[in-house]
Amino acid sequence: MSTVVDELGVRLKTYEGRAAAVAGRGKDAVNEPMIRHWCEAMGDTNPAYAGPDAVAPPTMLQAWTMGGISGHTGRTGAYDELFDLLDEAGCTSVVATDCEQEYLRPLRPGDEVTFDAVIESVSDRKTTKLGTGYFVTTRMDVRIGPDLVGTHRFRILKYAPARQKQKIRSARRPRPVVNRDNAGFWEGVARHQLLIQRCTDCGTLRHPWLPGCNACGGPDWDTVEASGEGTVYSYVVMHHPPFPAFTESDHAADAAGPYAVGLIELAEGVRIVSNVVGVPYDKVRIGLPVRLEFQRYDDEDGPLVLPVFRAQEDREGGVG
């Protein structure tokens, strides 16, 4: 019985354990402005991240190590060599697959971050729906002085893209995952009501639905119906993969052009992710006024009612 040897895989394995960065240093000390911007972008109002005794959100760990456009001086050539080998073998595409972080102590304004990074592992050759390639995992150890304060593992797939066998034609929409925590929300949508949870202990509104209040921890709640008024707080335009079911356009029914996904801030103060309709995707803007409506979609899986947000005319009679 003959065994096929993956010669490229054998070469890639020699990079395991090699340093990717040595004695790297964060370009900025942990600081209040970056913490504030992060919290505003994430909508995180935890009081632990503000005031004289503030700490940085743990999930900002990587932010303090990023080198920006100019990069870090502590970077070694091993990682670039590894990528060059993969590129030469036709694995020219890359996608991030997952990251794992461990927090050993909070970071505080004024902390000076240093770090080392290592190529922790390279997988055997794997075939996925995207294509065939290798999973590469790096581990970064983050320190304040001599003390390890956190680790950051980041895994990517470097692959040769698979050929597309056929054009995507299905216009079926994926169904929402309904469970015991959010069933009441979807029951309201079916009745053309957008229901927001309200804690009966402290009165805080919350969305998405949760089993308990993230402000006071109270387990009891009731609901209020949203007025339907809102504005675009943020948005992204999806270009790929093409998905005809989400495309709002005047093209043919099977067109799969770009579409806008908005983070909508409701008049009640909570935010919800949904499609922005009634306006071309390239006319969606932050601050664009929108109004809730319910759209019904019928396909082979049966009827589906979803909340979407239609762009409204601004004071000058236009949109965007």
Side-chain angles (χ1 to χ4, degrees):
M1 179 178 178
S2 61
T3 302
V4 177
V5 177
D6 178 10
E7 295 183 359
L8 174 61
V10 171
R11 294 181 66 187
L12 297 176
K13 285 284 188 181
T14 65
Y15 284 83
E16 291 185 338
R18 293 182 60 177
V22 177
R25 182 173 295 276
K27 292 195 168 182
D28 297 284
V30 178
N31 62 84
E32 294 178 3
M34 287 177 68
I35 293 172
R36 184 179 69 254
H37 292 318
W38 175 281
C39 290
E40 288 179 356
M42 297 297 176
D44 194 335
T45 59
N46 191 317
Y49 307 144
D53 298 319
V55 298
T59 49
M60 284 190 75
L61 182 66
Q62 188 189 17
W64 310 115
T65 67
M66 298 179 76
I69 295 175
S70 59
H72 282 294
T73 57
R75 182 171 174 174
T76 71
Y79 199 72
D80 292 336
E81 292 173 13
L82 177 65
F83 266 52
D84 287 343
L85 284 174
L86 288 163
D87 287 340
E88 291 168 4
C91 297
T92 54
S93 295
V94 63
V95 62
T97 61
D98 60 273
C99 98
E100 175 186 332
Q101 293 183 335
E102 181 179 8
Y103 315 116
L104 302 181
R105 83 148 171 86
L107 300 183
R108 297 177 173 83
D111 282 342
E112 298 276 353
V113 168
T114 60
F115 58 90
D116 299 300
V118 63
I119 301 170
E120 190 170 63
S121 66
V122 181
S123 75
D124 296 333
R125 183 168 55 196
K126 303 291 185 181
T127 299
T128 71
K129 289 184 178 180
L130 291 174
T132 298
Y134 300 83
F135 290 92
V136 179
T137 304
T138 54
R139 187 192 76 244
M140 179 177 289
D141 295 327
V142 182
R143 292 181 172 83
I144 303 296
D147 300 325
L148 182 68
V149 297
T151 60
H152 173 82
R153 282 184 174 85
F154 192 68
R155 183 176 295 109
I156 59 98
L157 172 64
K158 195 79 164 68
Y159 64 97
R163 291 185 177 181
Q164 295 293 327
K165 295 182 179 179
Q166 60 183 9
K167 182 180 178 181
I168 299 174
R169 295 185 181 277
S170 174
R172 295 165 61 184
R173 282 183 170 251
R175 301 281 151 155
V177 176
V178 180
N179 55 41
R180 63 181 182 180
D181 291 330
N182 66 14
F185 173 79
W186 291 108
E187 290 167 2
V189 168
R191 299 191 301 268
H192 288 201
Q193 294 178 302
L194 186 63
L195 300 179
I196 305 170
Q197 277 185 311
R198 176 176 58 190
C199 176
T200 55
D201 290 334
C202 69
T204 299
L205 300 180
R206 64 179 185 261
H207 186 86
W209 281 34
L210 297 170
C213 179
N214 53 11
C216 74
D220 299 320
W221 52 273
D222 59 11
T223 62
V224 296
E225 184 176 354
S227 67
E229 301 293 337
T231 57
V232 174
Y233 183 83
S234 184
Y235 69 96
V236 295
V237 175
M238 303 298 296
H239 292 268
H240 189 81
F243 207 148
F246 288 138
T247 302
E248 292 288 337
S249 70
D250 295 327
H251 300 295
D254 62 349
Y259 58 95
V261 179
L263 178 60
I264 309 301
E265 184 164 79
L266 299 178
E268 291 75 16
V270 299
R271 298 171 189 156
I272 181 173
V273 176
S274 185
N275 289 104
V276 179
V277 301
V279 63
Y281 70 89
D282 56 353
K283 297 299 182 182
V284 177
R285 295 290 184 268
I286 292 173
L288 177 69
V290 293
R291 180 161 183 80
L292 170 70
E293 65 179 45
F294 295 89
Q295 289 191 354
R296 172 173 168 145
Y297 303 89
D298 292 294
D299 56 35
E300 58 192 79
D301 294 324
L304 174 65
V305 177
L306 292 176
V308 298
F309 288 85
R310 183 166 295 278
Q312 302 297 295
E313 292 187 355
D314 61 21
R315 293 177 181 176
E316 296 180 357
V319 294

